[in-house]
Amino acid sequence: MKETILLFQITDKKMKTALTTALLPLKIRVKQVAEEDYGKKLGILAGVLPEEDAEASAASADSVPLTDPMMILCGIGDQKLNRLLAALRSKNVRIPYKAMLTPTNQEWTPAECLTELKREHEAMTIGTAIHTN
């Protein structure tokens, strides 16, 4: 999988500029996902699920607008991840909802992923478990 960052709901011009400045030296493909594609699965947007699933995915789910910016990191190893996070910090880019693309979440729409990230963020903030074994 080609190293890719999927960006959602990045509307602030200063944040876009800072993101571009921070990520350009890392040579990671950055894809600003259009709102009309929010009904597609993350795996399709990242290019890891077959494109023939794209029509079925888009047809089965309406594009739900996201309430917050989100970043999905695809195919990025630990070393580059550390450099990426440091670069974002150095440019004061704050996107609280970030996730790695996984076999589980590649089947989710952006709205489903953001909902889960918000639940996890809230649980970490108040110190409770959200998943039990």
mmCIF file of all heavy atoms in Angstrom, residues 55-101:
data_model
loop_
_atom_site.group_PDB
_atom_site.id
_atom_site.type_symbol
_atom_site.label_atom_id
_atom_site.label_comp_id
_atom_site.label_asym_id
_atom_site.label_seq_id
_atom_site.Cartn_x
_atom_site.Cartn_y
_atom_site.Cartn_z
ATOM 1 N N GLU A 55 -18.916 1.863 -6.139
ATOM 2 C CA GLU A 55 -20.291 2.218 -6.516
ATOM 3 C C GLU A 55 -21.289 1.666 -5.514
ATOM 4 O O GLU A 55 -22.209 2.357 -5.099
ATOM 5 C CB GLU A 55 -20.606 1.716 -7.917
ATOM 6 C CG GLU A 55 -19.921 2.520 -9.007
ATOM 7 C CD GLU A 55 -20.285 2.039 -10.389
ATOM 8 O OE1 GLU A 55 -21.402 1.529 -10.577
ATOM 9 O OE2 GLU A 55 -19.431 2.184 -11.281
ATOM 10 N N ALA A 56 -21.097 0.396 -5.117
ATOM 11 C CA ALA A 56 -22.007 -0.215 -4.145
ATOM 12 C C ALA A 56 -21.914 0.504 -2.807
ATOM 13 O O ALA A 56 -22.922 0.750 -2.149
ATOM 14 C CB ALA A 56 -21.682 -1.688 -3.970
ATOM 15 N N SER A 57 -20.702 0.868 -2.419
ATOM 16 C CA SER A 57 -20.504 1.569 -1.149
ATOM 17 C C SER A 57 -21.188 2.931 -1.177
ATOM 18 O O SER A 57 -21.889 3.303 -0.248
ATOM 19 C CB SER A 57 -19.006 1.733 -0.882
ATOM 20 O OG SER A 57 -18.782 2.517 0.254
ATOM 21 N N ALA A 58 -20.983 3.669 -2.253
ATOM 22 C CA ALA A 58 -21.571 5.002 -2.353
ATOM 23 C C ALA A 58 -23.087 4.927 -2.447
ATOM 24 O O ALA A 58 -23.791 5.774 -1.903
ATOM 25 C CB ALA A 58 -21.000 5.743 -3.549
ATOM 26 N N ALA A 59 -23.579 3.905 -3.111
ATOM 27 C CA ALA A 59 -25.029 3.772 -3.271
ATOM 28 C C ALA A 59 -25.708 3.355 -1.976
ATOM 29 O O ALA A 59 -26.846 3.724 -1.714
ATOM 30 C CB ALA A 59 -25.338 2.757 -4.359
ATOM 31 N N SER A 60 -24.997 2.599 -1.130
ATOM 32 C CA SER A 60 -25.610 2.088 0.093
ATOM 33 C C SER A 60 -25.547 3.062 1.258
ATOM 34 O O SER A 60 -26.206 2.882 2.259
ATOM 35 C CB SER A 60 -24.951 0.766 0.504
ATOM 36 O OG SER A 60 -23.618 1.004 0.883
ATOM 37 N N ALA A 61 -24.744 4.096 1.136
ATOM 38 C CA ALA A 61 -24.615 5.056 2.242
ATOM 39 C C ALA A 61 -24.613 6.475 1.701
ATOM 40 O O ALA A 61 -23.920 6.774 0.742
ATOM 41 C CB ALA A 61 -23.310 4.799 3.008
ATOM 42 N N ASP A 62 -25.402 7.306 2.307
ATOM 43 C CA ASP A 62 -25.400 8.709 1.920
ATOM 44 C C ASP A 62 -24.138 9.376 2.461
ATOM 45 O O ASP A 62 -23.595 8.963 3.475
ATOM 46 C CB ASP A 62 -26.623 9.429 2.497
ATOM 47 C CG ASP A 62 -27.910 8.965 1.840
ATOM 48 O OD1 ASP A 62 -27.867 8.601 0.655
ATOM 49 O OD2 ASP A 62 -28.950 8.956 2.523
ATOM 50 N N SER A 63 -23.683 10.407 1.792
ATOM 51 C CA SER A 63 -22.535 11.165 2.267
ATOM 52 C C SER A 63 -22.974 12.003 3.457
ATOM 53 O O SER A 63 -23.738 12.942 3.318
ATOM 54 C CB SER A 63 -21.999 12.066 1.159
ATOM 55 O OG SER A 63 -21.482 11.295 0.114
ATOM 56 N N VAL A 64 -22.485 11.622 4.628
ATOM 57 C CA VAL A 64 -22.838 12.320 5.860
ATOM 58 C C VAL A 64 -21.763 13.367 6.131
ATOM 59 O O VAL A 64 -20.583 13.036 6.208
ATOM 60 C CB VAL A 64 -22.926 11.321 7.044
ATOM 61 C CG1 VAL A 64 -23.195 12.044 8.341
ATOM 62 C CG2 VAL A 64 -23.967 10.260 6.764
ATOM 63 N N PRO A 65 -22.132 14.638 6.263
ATOM 64 C CA PRO A 65 -21.127 15.654 6.562
ATOM 65 C C PRO A 65 -20.485 15.384 7.925
ATOM 66 O O PRO A 65 -21.148 14.927 8.850
ATOM 67 C CB PRO A 65 -21.905 16.969 6.577
ATOM 68 C CG PRO A 65 -23.325 16.651 6.338
ATOM 69 C CD PRO A 65 -23.467 15.177 6.171
ATOM 70 N N LEU A 66 -19.201 15.640 8.011
ATOM 71 C CA LEU A 66 -18.487 15.445 9.272
ATOM 72 C C LEU A 66 -18.481 16.743 10.057
ATOM 73 O O LEU A 66 -18.412 17.824 9.484
ATOM 74 C CB LEU A 66 -17.065 14.971 9.006
ATOM 75 C CG LEU A 66 -16.920 13.680 8.201
ATOM 76 C CD1 LEU A 66 -15.451 13.312 8.060
ATOM 77 C CD2 LEU A 66 -17.690 12.540 8.822
ATOM 78 N N THR A 67 -18.514 16.616 11.372
ATOM 79 C CA THR A 67 -18.563 17.784 12.233
ATOM 80 C C THR A 67 -17.181 18.289 12.624
ATOM 81 O O THR A 67 -17.047 19.422 13.092
ATOM 82 C CB THR A 67 -19.347 17.464 13.520
ATOM 83 O OG1 THR A 67 -18.725 16.346 14.154
ATOM 84 C CG2 THR A 67 -20.795 17.155 13.207
ATOM 85 N N ASP A 68 -16.161 17.439 12.454
ATOM 86 C CA ASP A 68 -14.813 17.789 12.885
ATOM 87 C C ASP A 68 -13.791 17.309 11.860
ATOM 88 O O ASP A 68 -14.040 16.343 11.146
ATOM 89 C CB ASP A 68 -14.500 17.109 14.227
ATOM 90 C CG ASP A 68 -15.388 17.600 15.343
ATOM 91 O OD1 ASP A 68 -15.167 18.726 15.800
ATOM 92 O OD2 ASP A 68 -16.298 16.857 15.747
ATOM 93 N N PRO A 69 -12.611 17.950 11.829
ATOM 94 C CA PRO A 69 -11.542 17.465 10.959
ATOM 95 C C PRO A 69 -11.066 16.078 11.412
ATOM 96 O O PRO A 69 -11.087 15.762 12.603
ATOM 97 C CB PRO A 69 -10.434 18.493 11.139
ATOM 98 C CG PRO A 69 -11.075 19.683 11.736
ATOM 99 C CD PRO A 69 -12.245 19.186 12.513
ATOM 100 N N MET A 70 -10.637 15.278 10.447
ATOM 101 C CA MET A 70 -10.150 13.933 10.754
ATOM 102 C C MET A 70 -9.038 13.586 9.768
ATOM 103 O O MET A 70 -9.055 14.018 8.622
ATOM 104 C CB MET A 70 -11.304 12.927 10.645
ATOM 105 C CG MET A 70 -10.909 11.493 10.927
ATOM 106 S SD MET A 70 -12.326 10.356 10.964
ATOM 107 C CE MET A 70 -12.866 10.372 9.266
ATOM 108 N N MET A 71 -8.092 12.787 10.247
ATOM 109 C CA MET A 71 -6.962 12.347 9.443
ATOM 110 C C MET A 71 -6.839 10.833 9.568
ATOM 111 O O MET A 71 -6.807 10.311 10.685
ATOM 112 C CB MET A 71 -5.679 13.027 9.963
ATOM 113 C CG MET A 71 -4.414 12.601 9.283
ATOM 114 S SD MET A 71 -2.941 13.341 10.056
ATOM 115 C CE MET A 71 -3.070 15.018 9.506
ATOM 116 N N ILE A 72 -6.786 10.140 8.424
ATOM 117 C CA ILE A 72 -6.585 8.692 8.415
ATOM 118 C C ILE A 72 -5.237 8.414 7.769
ATOM 119 O O ILE A 72 -4.976 8.844 6.637
ATOM 120 C CB ILE A 72 -7.715 7.963 7.638
ATOM 121 C CG1 ILE A 72 -9.088 8.327 8.207
ATOM 122 C CG2 ILE A 72 -7.479 6.452 7.664
ATOM 123 C CD1 ILE A 72 -9.334 7.898 9.635
ATOM 124 N N LEU A 73 -4.376 7.707 8.479
ATOM 125 C CA LEU A 73 -3.021 7.411 8.025
ATOM 126 C C LEU A 73 -3.003 5.994 7.457
ATOM 127 O O LEU A 73 -3.371 5.039 8.146
ATOM 128 C CB LEU A 73 -2.047 7.537 9.196
ATOM 129 C CG LEU A 73 -2.165 8.845 9.992
ATOM 130 C CD1 LEU A 73 -1.380 8.782 11.275
ATOM 131 C CD2 LEU A 73 -1.741 10.016 9.145
ATOM 132 N N CYS A 74 -2.568 5.866 6.226
ATOM 133 C CA CYS A 74 -2.621 4.588 5.519
ATOM 134 C C CYS A 74 -1.220 4.143 5.104
ATOM 135 O O CYS A 74 -0.521 4.869 4.392
ATOM 136 C CB CYS A 74 -3.497 4.711 4.281
ATOM 137 S SG CYS A 74 -5.077 5.545 4.537
ATOM 138 N N GLY A 75 -0.816 2.951 5.552
ATOM 139 C CA GLY A 75 0.454 2.368 5.128
ATOM 140 C C GLY A 75 1.685 3.083 5.634
ATOM 141 O O GLY A 75 2.746 3.012 5.023
ATOM 142 N N ILE A 76 1.588 3.746 6.764
ATOM 143 C CA ILE A 76 2.713 4.524 7.309
ATOM 144 C C ILE A 76 3.332 3.745 8.463
ATOM 145 O O ILE A 76 2.650 3.398 9.425
ATOM 146 C CB ILE A 76 2.243 5.924 7.749
ATOM 147 C CG1 ILE A 76 1.723 6.674 6.529
ATOM 148 C CG2 ILE A 76 3.361 6.693 8.437
ATOM 149 C CD1 ILE A 76 1.058 7.985 6.819
ATOM 150 N N GLY A 77 4.623 3.461 8.349
ATOM 151 C CA GLY A 77 5.341 2.707 9.372
ATOM 152 C C GLY A 77 5.647 3.551 10.598
ATOM 153 O O GLY A 77 5.480 4.774 10.592
ATOM 154 N N ASP A 78 6.119 2.877 11.649
ATOM 155 C CA ASP A 78 6.372 3.535 12.931
ATOM 156 C C ASP A 78 7.356 4.701 12.836
ATOM 157 O O ASP A 78 7.119 5.761 13.410
ATOM 158 C CB ASP A 78 6.881 2.528 13.963
ATOM 159 C CG ASP A 78 5.805 1.559 14.410
ATOM 160 O OD1 ASP A 78 4.613 1.833 14.175
ATOM 161 O OD2 ASP A 78 6.162 0.508 14.979
ATOM 162 N N GLN A 79 8.482 4.492 12.123
ATOM 163 C CA GLN A 79 9.486 5.557 12.049
ATOM 164 C C GLN A 79 8.929 6.798 11.370
ATOM 165 O O GLN A 79 9.087 7.909 11.849
ATOM 166 C CB GLN A 79 10.719 5.071 11.288
ATOM 167 C CG GLN A 79 11.766 4.440 12.166
ATOM 168 C CD GLN A 79 13.047 4.218 11.381
ATOM 169 O OE1 GLN A 79 13.022 3.923 10.200
ATOM 170 N NE2 GLN A 79 14.167 4.352 12.068
ATOM 171 N N LYS A 80 8.262 6.589 10.246
ATOM 172 C CA LYS A 80 7.711 7.735 9.524
ATOM 173 C C LYS A 80 6.557 8.347 10.307
ATOM 174 O O LYS A 80 6.369 9.554 10.290
ATOM 175 C CB LYS A 80 7.264 7.347 8.123
ATOM 176 C CG LYS A 80 6.960 8.592 7.288
ATOM 177 C CD LYS A 80 6.882 8.316 5.822
ATOM 178 C CE LYS A 80 8.224 8.494 5.175
ATOM 179 N NZ LYS A 80 8.121 8.400 3.706
ATOM 180 N N LEU A 81 5.792 7.521 11.025
ATOM 181 C CA LEU A 81 4.705 8.037 11.850
ATOM 182 C C LEU A 81 5.244 9.006 12.894
ATOM 183 O O LEU A 81 4.695 10.090 13.093
ATOM 184 C CB LEU A 81 3.941 6.898 12.528
ATOM 185 C CG LEU A 81 2.851 7.315 13.506
ATOM 186 C CD1 LEU A 81 1.746 8.092 12.786
ATOM 187 C CD2 LEU A 81 2.276 6.099 14.211
ATOM 188 N N ASN A 82 6.331 8.640 13.543
ATOM 189 C CA ASN A 82 6.937 9.527 14.545
ATOM 190 C C ASN A 82 7.397 10.836 13.914
ATOM 191 O O ASN A 82 7.197 11.911 14.481
ATOM 192 C CB ASN A 82 8.096 8.822 15.248
ATOM 193 C CG ASN A 82 7.614 7.728 16.169
ATOM 194 O OD1 ASN A 82 6.507 7.778 16.683
ATOM 195 N ND2 ASN A 82 8.446 6.711 16.360
ATOM 196 N N ARG A 83 7.998 10.763 12.725
ATOM 197 C CA ARG A 83 8.436 11.974 12.026
ATOM 198 C C ARG A 83 7.236 12.824 11.616
ATOM 199 O O ARG A 83 7.265 14.051 11.722
ATOM 200 C CB ARG A 83 9.282 11.608 10.809
ATOM 201 C CG ARG A 83 10.638 11.042 11.200
ATOM 202 C CD ARG A 83 11.526 10.612 10.055
ATOM 203 N NE ARG A 83 11.424 11.406 8.862
ATOM 204 C CZ ARG A 83 11.457 10.882 7.625
ATOM 205 N NH1 ARG A 83 11.552 9.582 7.441
ATOM 206 N NH2 ARG A 83 11.382 11.670 6.569
ATOM 207 N N LEU A 84 6.175 12.167 11.174
ATOM 208 C CA LEU A 84 4.960 12.871 10.763
ATOM 209 C C LEU A 84 4.346 13.628 11.940
ATOM 210 O O LEU A 84 4.019 14.807 11.832
ATOM 211 C CB LEU A 84 3.969 11.851 10.196
ATOM 212 C CG LEU A 84 2.640 12.351 9.685
ATOM 213 C CD1 LEU A 84 2.151 11.442 8.567
ATOM 214 C CD2 LEU A 84 1.587 12.412 10.751
ATOM 215 N N LEU A 85 4.195 12.950 13.065
ATOM 216 C CA LEU A 85 3.608 13.595 14.248
ATOM 217 C C LEU A 85 4.474 14.753 14.738
ATOM 218 O O LEU A 85 3.962 15.798 15.128
ATOM 219 C CB LEU A 85 3.378 12.558 15.354
ATOM 220 C CG LEU A 85 2.336 11.479 15.026
ATOM 221 C CD1 LEU A 85 2.299 10.424 16.113
ATOM 222 C CD2 LEU A 85 0.964 12.084 14.787
ATOM 223 N N ALA A 86 5.793 14.580 14.690
ATOM 224 C CA ALA A 86 6.701 15.661 15.087
ATOM 225 C C ALA A 86 6.566 16.855 14.136
ATOM 226 O O ALA A 86 6.563 18.015 14.569
ATOM 227 C CB ALA A 86 8.139 15.157 15.120
ATOM 228 N N ALA A 87 6.432 16.577 12.843
ATOM 229 C CA ALA A 87 6.279 17.654 11.858
ATOM 230 C C ALA A 87 4.974 18.420 12.090
ATOM 231 O O ALA A 87 4.949 19.648 12.007
ATOM 232 C CB ALA A 87 6.312 17.072 10.440
ATOM 233 N N LEU A 88 3.907 17.697 12.404
ATOM 234 C CA LEU A 88 2.629 18.363 12.683
ATOM 235 C C LEU A 88 2.730 19.240 13.932
ATOM 236 O O LEU A 88 2.248 20.365 13.950
ATOM 237 C CB LEU A 88 1.507 17.339 12.847
ATOM 238 C CG LEU A 88 1.119 16.547 11.598
ATOM 239 C CD1 LEU A 88 0.045 15.518 11.929
ATOM 240 C CD2 LEU A 88 0.681 17.459 10.467
ATOM 241 N N ARG A 89 3.380 18.710 14.971
ATOM 242 C CA ARG A 89 3.566 19.498 16.207
ATOM 243 C C ARG A 89 4.388 20.754 15.926
ATOM 244 O O ARG A 89 4.085 21.836 16.437
ATOM 245 C CB ARG A 89 4.241 18.663 17.288
ATOM 246 C CG ARG A 89 3.292 17.773 18.071
ATOM 247 C CD ARG A 89 3.960 17.173 19.299
ATOM 248 N NE ARG A 89 5.139 16.382 18.978
ATOM 249 C CZ ARG A 89 5.126 15.082 18.678
ATOM 250 N NH1 ARG A 89 4.002 14.420 18.653
ATOM 251 N NH2 ARG A 89 6.247 14.449 18.393
ATOM 252 N N SER A 90 5.436 20.613 15.109
ATOM 253 C CA SER A 90 6.313 21.765 14.837
ATOM 254 C C SER A 90 5.577 22.884 14.107
ATOM 255 O O SER A 90 5.955 24.048 14.212
ATOM 256 C CB SER A 90 7.538 21.327 14.036
ATOM 257 O OG SER A 90 7.198 21.099 12.684
ATOM 258 N N LYS A 91 4.525 22.541 13.373
ATOM 259 C CA LYS A 91 3.740 23.548 12.642
ATOM 260 C C LYS A 91 2.437 23.888 13.372
ATOM 261 O O LYS A 91 1.578 24.578 12.831
ATOM 262 C CB LYS A 91 3.411 23.058 11.230
ATOM 263 C CG LYS A 91 4.615 22.766 10.377
ATOM 264 C CD LYS A 91 5.390 24.025 10.086
ATOM 265 C CE LYS A 91 6.593 23.704 9.209
ATOM 266 N NZ LYS A 91 7.497 24.811 9.051
ATOM 267 N N ASN A 92 2.308 23.419 14.610
ATOM 268 C CA ASN A 92 1.111 23.660 15.428
ATOM 269 C C ASN A 92 -0.183 23.205 14.748
ATOM 270 O O ASN A 92 -1.207 23.871 14.857
ATOM 271 C CB ASN A 92 0.997 25.121 15.834
ATOM 272 C CG ASN A 92 2.037 25.496 16.868
ATOM 273 O OD1 ASN A 92 2.383 24.694 17.722
ATOM 274 N ND2 ASN A 92 2.545 26.706 16.776
ATOM 275 N N VAL A 93 -0.117 22.086 14.044
ATOM 276 C CA VAL A 93 -1.304 21.517 13.410
ATOM 277 C C VAL A 93 -1.957 20.583 14.421
ATOM 278 O O VAL A 93 -1.356 19.614 14.863
ATOM 279 C CB VAL A 93 -0.950 20.738 12.120
ATOM 280 C CG1 VAL A 93 -2.181 20.055 11.555
ATOM 281 C CG2 VAL A 93 -0.324 21.663 11.097
ATOM 282 N N ARG A 94 -3.198 20.905 14.784
ATOM 283 C CA ARG A 94 -3.915 20.101 15.774
ATOM 284 C C ARG A 94 -5.158 19.510 15.128
ATOM 285 O O ARG A 94 -6.102 20.234 14.829
ATOM 286 C CB ARG A 94 -4.289 20.942 16.984
ATOM 287 C CG ARG A 94 -3.073 21.474 17.747
ATOM 288 C CD ARG A 94 -3.424 22.100 19.073
ATOM 289 N NE ARG A 94 -4.415 21.388 19.843
ATOM 290 C CZ ARG A 94 -4.156 20.366 20.679
ATOM 291 N NH1 ARG A 94 -2.936 19.947 20.816
ATOM 292 N NH2 ARG A 94 -5.137 19.797 21.356
ATOM 293 N N ILE A 95 -5.098 18.203 14.909
ATOM 294 C CA ILE A 95 -6.249 17.448 14.427
ATOM 295 C C ILE A 95 -6.447 16.336 15.454
ATOM 296 O O ILE A 95 -5.720 15.346 15.451
ATOM 297 C CB ILE A 95 -6.004 16.867 13.019
ATOM 298 C CG1 ILE A 95 -5.733 18.001 12.027
ATOM 299 C CG2 ILE A 95 -7.202 16.024 12.558
ATOM 300 C CD1 ILE A 95 -5.358 17.550 10.637
ATOM 301 N N PRO A 96 -7.401 16.513 16.374
ATOM 302 C CA PRO A 96 -7.534 15.547 17.462
ATOM 303 C C PRO A 96 -8.004 14.165 17.015
ATOM 304 O O PRO A 96 -7.740 13.184 17.692
ATOM 305 C CB PRO A 96 -8.548 16.190 18.400
ATOM 306 C CG PRO A 96 -9.230 17.237 17.611
ATOM 307 C CD PRO A 96 -8.318 17.631 16.500
ATOM 308 N N TYR A 97 -8.661 14.084 15.881
ATOM 309 C CA TYR A 97 -9.193 12.793 15.445
ATOM 310 C C TYR A 97 -8.331 12.229 14.322
ATOM 311 O O TYR A 97 -8.461 12.592 13.157
ATOM 312 C CB TYR A 97 -10.659 12.933 15.021
ATOM 313 C CG TYR A 97 -11.501 13.458 16.158
ATOM 314 C CD1 TYR A 97 -12.058 14.727 16.105
ATOM 315 C CD2 TYR A 97 -11.704 12.703 17.307
ATOM 316 C CE1 TYR A 97 -12.809 15.222 17.157
ATOM 317 C CE2 TYR A 97 -12.439 13.190 18.372
ATOM 318 C CZ TYR A 97 -12.993 14.449 18.289
ATOM 319 O OH TYR A 97 -13.723 14.935 19.338
ATOM 320 N N LYS A 98 -7.402 11.337 14.728
ATOM 321 C CA LYS A 98 -6.481 10.674 13.810
ATOM 322 C C LYS A 98 -6.571 9.170 14.052
ATOM 323 O O LYS A 98 -6.776 8.733 15.178
ATOM 324 C CB LYS A 98 -5.037 11.102 14.075
ATOM 325 C CG LYS A 98 -4.729 12.543 13.826
ATOM 326 C CD LYS A 98 -3.269 12.828 13.985
ATOM 327 C CE LYS A 98 -2.797 13.356 15.293
ATOM 328 N NZ LYS A 98 -3.514 14.351 15.992
ATOM 329 N N ALA A 99 -6.396 8.411 12.968
ATOM 330 C CA ALA A 99 -6.390 6.954 13.103
ATOM 331 C C ALA A 99 -5.531 6.348 12.007
ATOM 332 O O ALA A 99 -5.368 6.940 10.933
ATOM 333 C CB ALA A 99 -7.813 6.407 13.009
ATOM 334 N N MET A 100 -5.015 5.169 12.292
ATOM 335 C CA MET A 100 -4.351 4.360 11.277
ATOM 336 C C MET A 100 -5.429 3.554 10.570
ATOM 337 O O MET A 100 -6.382 3.097 11.209
ATOM 338 C CB MET A 100 -3.341 3.409 11.923
ATOM 339 C CG MET A 100 -2.212 4.094 12.666
ATOM 340 S SD MET A 100 -1.108 5.052 11.616
ATOM 341 C CE MET A 100 -0.245 3.767 10.749
ATOM 342 N N LEU A 101 -5.279 3.342 9.274
ATOM 343 C CA LEU A 101 -6.189 2.473 8.548
ATOM 344 C C LEU A 101 -5.901 1.037 8.966
ATOM 345 O O LEU A 101 -4.749 0.600 8.964
ATOM 346 C CB LEU A 101 -6.006 2.634 7.037
ATOM 347 C CG LEU A 101 -7.013 1.883 6.182
ATOM 348 C CD1 LEU A 101 -8.398 2.529 6.299
ATOM 349 C CD2 LEU A 101 -6.569 1.850 4.729
#
